[in-house]
Amino acid sequence: MVSLPHILLVSGIPASGKSTYSRWLKDNKGWYHCEGDQVFTDQESVEAAVQEAQARTQRTVIDWGFPPACLNKVRWVTTQGVEIWWFDGDREAAKTSFTKRGQSGQHPATMQALKIQLAAIEASWSQIGKVFGAHIIRSVEDGPQYLGPDRIFEAMFGPR
């Protein structure tokens, strides 16, 4: 059994279940949920958010589908003891979910923004893969079908 990290960064392709999993950690495991898009605007804000999480007694999950140009910020957080995981999977299934989410008003991003983000991920994949290493989970498959949060938790940290 792997020990639970004090701070967890969940990143990945758009519509891969990052936010759903992060909210599940908050609601079912008592973690503090921080939305990275709101606090990771520059290096100073990244440092401040990590220091705040380090000072918190409660475990923290940061949900941040970062632009690949920010990979250095992800590298930096790992030097501060933040455990990182990448949510990946079937890109077409993620696009389907993304489209439905946009049509229902659940997410403000456009299909063009999704295409730009996926292209940037593909162009940076070798570097992303090196940084995340074995911490890559296929969370979305054709359908779309999502790996349940309890199964993701077990894949990350073992049975509890």
Side-chain angles (χ1 to χ4, degrees), residues 52-106:
E52 203 174 291
Q54 289 168 331
R56 193 177 290 117
T57 56
Q58 188 178 18
R59 294 185 195 286
T60 299
V61 58
I62 302 167
D63 164 17
W64 187 37
F66 68 92
C70 293
L71 194 54
N72 283 334
K73 291 178 186 176
V74 174
R75 285 186 185 102
W76 181 83
V77 300
T78 65
T79 70
Q80 304 303 302
V82 176
E83 186 169 311
I84 61 173
W85 282 87
W86 182 268
F87 282 31
D88 209 278
D90 185 280
R91 304 299 203 262
E92 290 305 315
K95 285 180 188 177
T96 298
S97 288
F98 185 89
T99 301
K100 287 179 185 174
R101 204 168 60 181
Q103 290 169 345
S104 69
Q106 293 176 321

Side-chain angles (χ1 to χ4, degrees), residues 14 30 41 48 50 55 58 66-67 71 73 78 82 94 97 101 105 110-111 123 127 139 142-144 147 157:
T41 54
V50 169
Q58 188 178 18
F66 68 92
L71 194 54
K73 291 178 186 176
T78 65
V82 176
S97 288
R101 204 168 60 181
T110 64
M111 185 55 72
Q127 290 299 313
S139 56
D142 186 33
L147 195 59
F157 310 119

